[in-house]
């Protein structure tokens, strides 16, 4: 039955003249380079959260040895996270046509019978299931996260983190086994026919071609280029933002005035009311070595004010243009409670009552940076409610969620 031409187990069932070892190998080598960059930038993105600092920063508990790469995230250059996460998201979207074309090119092998010719062959088939399933899972959850569409169960962070390790482990094993053959196939393919001797992917009775294999690669590349052009603008900002047609934050800056730039979470969504932020009720509680002080917003404005020009960059790949922030340096607030020299880590709490990252921790190097502020104004005007009024954190190179809005308490000390 496996040789019946109407069954997918038969080689004659797959009649596309495009399939072949050369076509598959070219796509595989592109994915080898691209997925490696995705994995590295993904690790970098995770490290940017400083998950080893405090449990509130770590959304992937029980990671064990998978946290071996963690390091203190730097504050210089200020665009570091904007770059690394922009590359991660844009490249991930760009590689979608390549991944789909690669899976299409090898689909006949998924129906090969018998399913396992030996123990080694059975293990290889299982690894392929992890590779294909892991790849589809990672790309799907990544795209949904970029679109702010959380239809999957559970938190994006652990799902994407652990899925990445499963996918990349299978991908690395597959690359070790197949990369030498892929390089050989590309090198040895006959120039005019793009075929390789003994090519098991070539159909025994192909249909008449309507496009060459090189033309098909051009279509895949064109699709990738189109996705890149309609995504990258949300990270580049400025006039390029209008080109990001597929990104939620790709349109022109919302609203007008100094507060007219992108946000993910509004005050209304976070449950912040005018009563919470009214000058008669809101106080910033600062705790440290020498005790606790409570400051009104008017008192904060009477402290030495400093300015920083910094962007906000988020895990979904979008970022704002540099905004001109003004407020009190975090290290000056640390000095108010006894940390005059070498300010320590700080634990930040928001008025927001529910949701991830209503609390966050910042490392000592982030507190000490002179550009790290408890911002009270942006662009010369007070913060709007959606941008964190009465006060918010702004730290160079930190992921957007660590720039806590609606700050109510700062606790300085080793975490």
């Amino acid at each position: 039955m496996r040789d019946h031409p109407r069954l997918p187990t038969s080689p004659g069932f797959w009649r596309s003249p495009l399939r072949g070892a050369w076509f598959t190998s070219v796509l595989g080598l592109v994915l080898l380079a691209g997925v490696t960059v995705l994995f590295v930038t993904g690790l970098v993105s995770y490290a940017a959260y400083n998950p080893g600092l405090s449990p509130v920063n770590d959304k992937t508990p029980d990671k064990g040895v998978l946290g071996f790469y963690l390091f203190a995230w730097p504050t210089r250059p200020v665009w570091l996270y904007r770059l690394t996460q922009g590359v991660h998201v844009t490249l991930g979207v760009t590689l979608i046509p390549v991944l789909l074309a690669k899976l299409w090119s090898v689909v006949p092998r998924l129906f090969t019978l018998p399913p396992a010719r030996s123990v080694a062959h059975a293990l290889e088939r299982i690894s392929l299931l992890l590779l294909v399933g892991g790849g589809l899972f990672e790309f799907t959850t990544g795209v949904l996260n970029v679109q702010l569409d959380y239809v999957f169960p559970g938190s994006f962070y652990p799902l994407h983190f652990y899925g990445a390790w499963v996918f990349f482990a299978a991908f690395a094993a597959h690359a070790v086994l197949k990369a030498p053959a892929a390089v050989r196939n590309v090198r040895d393919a006959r120039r005019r026919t793009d075929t390789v001797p003994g090519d098991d992917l070539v159909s025994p009775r192909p249909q008449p071609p309507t496009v060459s294999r090189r033309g098909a690669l051009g279509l895949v590349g064109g699709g990738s280029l189109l996705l890149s052009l309609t995504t990258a603008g949300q990270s580049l900002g400025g006039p390029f933002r209008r080109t990001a047609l597929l990104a939620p934050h790709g349109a022109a800056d919302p609203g007008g005035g100094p507060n007219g730039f992108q946000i993910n979470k509004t005050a209304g969504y976070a449950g912040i009311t005018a009563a919470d932020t009214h000058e008669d009720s809101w106080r910033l509680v600062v705790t440290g070595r020498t005790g606790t002080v409570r400051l009104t917003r008017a008192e904060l404005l009477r402290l030495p004010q400093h300015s920083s020009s910094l962007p906000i960059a988020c895990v979904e790949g979008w970022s704002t243009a540099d905004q001109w922030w003004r407020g009190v340096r975090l290290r000056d607030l640390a000095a108010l409670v006894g940390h005059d020299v070498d300010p320590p880590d700080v634990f930040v709490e928001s008025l927001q009552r529910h949701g991830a990252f209503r609390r966050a921790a910042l490392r000592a190097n982030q507190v000490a940076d002179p550009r790290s502020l408890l911002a009270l104004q942006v662009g010369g005007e007070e913060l709007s409610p959606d941008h964190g009024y009465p006060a918010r954190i702004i730290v160079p190179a930190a992921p957007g969620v660590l720039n806590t809005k609606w700050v109510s308490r700062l606790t300085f000390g080793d975490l």
Side-chain angles (χ1 to χ4, degrees), residues 274-355:
D276 295 324
T277 61
H278 193 275
E279 60 182 10
D280 292 336
S281 59
W282 181 84
R283 298 291 185 273
L284 175 70
V285 180
V286 184
T287 301
R289 180 185 294 143
T290 58
T292 298
V293 297
R294 295 168 63 86
L295 300 167
T296 65
R297 196 169 191 276
E299 289 171 328
L300 285 169
L301 286 169
R302 286 196 290 269
L303 293 175
Q305 302 291 297
H306 299 271
S307 298
S308 297
S309 181
L310 299 172
I312 296 176
C314 282
V315 69
E316 298 90 2
W318 67 269
S319 59
T320 71
D322 287 0
Q323 306 297 322
W324 194 252
W325 307 92
R326 190 163 177 80
V328 184
R329 286 175 174 169
L330 292 183
R331 67 186 191 184
D332 292 345
L333 290 169
L336 288 179
V337 288
H339 301 284
D340 302 272
V341 181
D342 297 328
D345 309 328
V346 64
F347 188 74
V348 184
E349 297 176 74
S350 172
L351 292 171
Q352 182 181 343
R353 296 174 182 84
H354 305 287

Side-chain angles (χ1 to χ4, degrees), residues 223-270:
S224 291
L225 178 61
L226 180 61
L227 287 177
S228 177
L229 292 176
T230 53
T231 303
Q234 68 167 348
S235 300
L236 297 174
F240 298 101
R241 190 176 300 280
R242 294 180 180 274
T243 68
L245 303 177
L246 300 183
H249 293 284
D253 291 345
N259 282 278
F261 56 95
Q262 287 73 16
I263 58 171
N264 265 4
K265 188 182 300 179
T266 65
Y269 178 87

Side-chain angles (χ1 to χ4, degrees), residues 11-49:
F13 179 85
W14 308 98
R15 301 190 60 194
S16 172
L18 298 179
R19 288 191 178 90
W22 179 84
F23 184 75
T24 295
S25 297
V26 171
L27 296 170
L29 292 175
V30 171
L31 286 175
L32 176 62
V35 170
T36 301
V37 173
L38 283 181
F39 187 69
V40 172
T41 52
L43 293 182
V44 168
S45 176
Y46 185 66
Y49 284 75

